[in-house]
Amino acid sequence: MPTYTNNYIPVNKYTRPGLKLNGVKKLVVHYTANPGAGADNHRRYFSNAQVYASAHIFVDKTEAICIIPLNEVAYHANDIQQRDSAGNPYRGVAALKPNANFLSIGVEMCLEKDGSFHSDTVERTEDVFVELCNKFGLDPIIDIVRHYDITHKNCPAPWVSNGQKFADFKNRVKAKMSGKSVSKASPTKPTTPSPSSSSAASGSLKSKVNGLRFYSKPSWEDKDVVGTVNKGIGFPTIVEKVKVGSAYQYKVKNSKGATYYITASDKYVDVTGSVKTSSPSPKTTSTSSSSSSIKSVGKIKIVGVSSAAIVMDKPDRNSSKNIGTVKLGSTILISGSVKGKNNSKGYWEVIYRGKRGYISGQFGSKI
């Protein structure tokens, strides 16, 4: 009997690109970092999320849902957390180089409201991995890895802080594959964040409504909207509360560490934990070539998008982070163009807020 059900999200450029895997060398375990949201909450979120992130299977205490076919790429484990002395991204699992997204299956474990893994979630995840190991001919002891092992992202955090729990999980999967009976999995207690001198964040939030917009910067303008969240979905980290115009927004981070802004109105969001309030930042003008050390070679006009073009941190639309947007019809300075990866049209190298960014070639027309 299958341990998960298939309920695929639509093919789209953000969360299900439709690209084929080059093989399955490893199985990667993650956690959602989104307390209280179940497997179907995440399926609905990734059905229309405008962020380059996803996973194949989501598991909670009552069900496991496969949202991306197991022969397709999910964007789950090619983030950059640190670099070596030569500037290369850290990649700790040799078999998954250069891009784990093309060589692995990603499985996300959902959290309870208190941030713990329910024992039924752990047990169900073990069963999913038993099925996947059998399907792909993998050894759970060496072929199940954490997201942390690949990029050093703190994921799944409870099993990074307590590596023995992860080792126990793999041993239980191995035992089940051998037909041995195992005792019921114990729940994993929530991790206690270490104190940080650089951030006073201790809250998290969830949307009370469907289609709640979030922004790339402190703004209420349509051009700065980068996505929406549905009821029950939210952000695991609130950095601070900031005043934007005459109202307030929360500066938040998602489970991948990307920063966004969302309304702070209690009509639309539920907040847990404490949140610091900052003074509004001074308004700044847009960056020009005179305020940047990057030499401009011209401008492009944004074309071919419905509302705004995404600015990426590197020329690879499959693994880059979004650092902002430029509105349709607007112009932006460029410092050149590059071939990059995963786009036959290449990329414009743009000067965005004084730093280099990249826009897909088809969305810019040189002027």
Side-chain angles (χ1 to χ4, degrees):
M1 181 177 176
T3 57
Y4 55 86
T5 58
N6 295 322
N7 192 349
Y8 302 142
I9 62 177
V11 174
N12 66 89
K13 69 178 182 179
Y14 294 106
T15 57
R16 184 189 167 188
L19 302 170
K20 297 301 181 184
L21 287 174
N22 295 331
V24 178
K25 301 289 185 67
K26 303 287 180 183
L27 306 175
V28 185
V29 62
H30 302 260
Y31 83 137
T32 60
N34 192 9
D40 194 58
N41 291 121
H42 289 91
R43 180 195 63 79
R44 288 186 283 113
Y45 170 70
F46 285 110
S47 291
N48 58 20
Q50 295 183 14
V51 292
Y52 290 100
S54 54
H56 292 89
I57 299 174
F58 288 81
V59 187
D60 64 26
K61 63 186 176 185
T62 60
E63 64 180 337
I65 305 174
C66 181
I67 71 167
I68 294 176
L70 299 184
N71 65 343
E72 290 186 17
V73 167
Y75 295 144
H76 66 100
N78 196 46
D79 50 296
I80 299 175
Q81 299 294 322
Q82 65 184 67
R83 296 179 182 270
D84 62 22
S85 57
N88 301 310
Y90 174 84
R91 294 293 179 261
V93 180
L96 298 181
K97 292 180 179 179
N99 187 337
N101 292 339
F102 284 83
L103 295 165
S104 64
I105 300 294
V107 179
E108 294 262 7
M109 298 175 68
C110 297
L111 294 171
E112 297 302 294
K113 289 182 179 179
D114 65 357
S116 68
F117 290 143
H118 193 283
S119 58
D120 290 344
T121 300
V122 178
E123 191 165 19
R124 189 178 303 278
T125 305
E126 291 170 358
D127 294 339
V128 167
F129 275 90
V130 167
E131 181 172 347
L132 294 177
C133 284
N134 285 326
K135 180 180 179 67
F136 295 105
L138 300 174
D139 179 345
I141 304 302
I142 62 173
D143 293 326
I144 298 176
V145 298
R146 300 166 298 182
H147 189 176
Y148 172 80
D149 300 316
I150 303 168
T151 70
H152 269 179
K153 182 178 176 64
N154 187 29
C155 173
W159 291 355
V160 174
S161 61
N162 187 343
Q164 186 58 50
K165 286 283 188 182
F166 177 54
D168 292 344
F169 172 81
K170 293 191 293 181
N171 287 329
R172 290 166 62 85
V173 173
K174 183 77 168 179
K176 287 184 176 183
M177 289 178 69
S178 303
K180 297 177 182 177
S181 61
V182 297
S183 58
K184 188 174 179 64
S186 60
T188 299
K189 296 179 180 179
T191 54
T192 304
S194 0
S196 168
S197 59
S198 61
S199 172
S202 60
S204 62
L205 69 77
K206 290 181 186 176
S207 175
K208 293 182 176 180
V209 299
N210 289 328
L212 185 63
R213 305 198 302 179
F214 58 93
Y215 302 80
S216 61
K217 62 182 181 180
S219 168
W220 301 107
E221 296 187 35
D222 291 347
K223 68 181 179 67
D224 297 318
V225 174
V226 290
T228 61
V229 290
N230 288 329
K231 186 176 180 179
I233 301 294
F235 293 90
T237 304
I238 301 175
V239 178
E240 61 185 354
K241 186 177 182 180
V242 297
K243 190 167 187 180
V244 182
S246 59
Y248 283 89
Q249 290 182 338
Y250 289 123
K251 180 180 179 180
V252 295
K253 289 188 177 184
N254 67 7
S255 60
K256 308 298 181 184
T259 299
Y260 301 105
Y261 294 81
I262 194 167
T263 179
S265 169
D266 59 10
K267 179 179 179 181
Y268 299 109
V269 295
D270 272 325
V271 172
T272 57
S274 58
V275 182
K276 79 169 184 178
T277 302
S278 73
S279 303
S281 302
K283 191 171 182 179
T284 58
T285 57
S286 58
T287 303
S288 67
S289 58
S290 61
S291 61
S292 170
S293 60
I294 306 170
K295 183 179 179 182
S296 168
V297 297
K299 292 182 179 180
I300 57 168
K301 183 178 181 180
I302 302 302
V303 298
V305 293
S306 57
S307 59
I310 292 172
V311 184
M312 299 167 279
D313 68 340
K314 62 181 178 179
D316 184 348
R317 62 183 181 181
N318 288 357
S319 63
S320 59
K321 292 182 180 178
N322 301 343
I323 59 174
T325 58
V326 182
K327 188 178 179 182
L328 175 67
S330 299
T331 61
I332 187 169
L333 296 174
I334 60 171
S335 55
S337 61
V338 295
K339 182 178 179 181
K341 295 180 180 179
N342 298 306
N343 188 3
S344 60
K345 301 295 184 181
Y347 301 85
W348 294 106
E349 187 174 85
V350 301
I351 304 172
Y352 182 76
R353 296 183 180 177
K355 297 181 179 180
R356 280 190 176 84
Y358 299 89
I359 291 176
S360 295
Q362 63 268 39
F363 300 141
S365 176
K366 194 167 183 181
I367 55 177

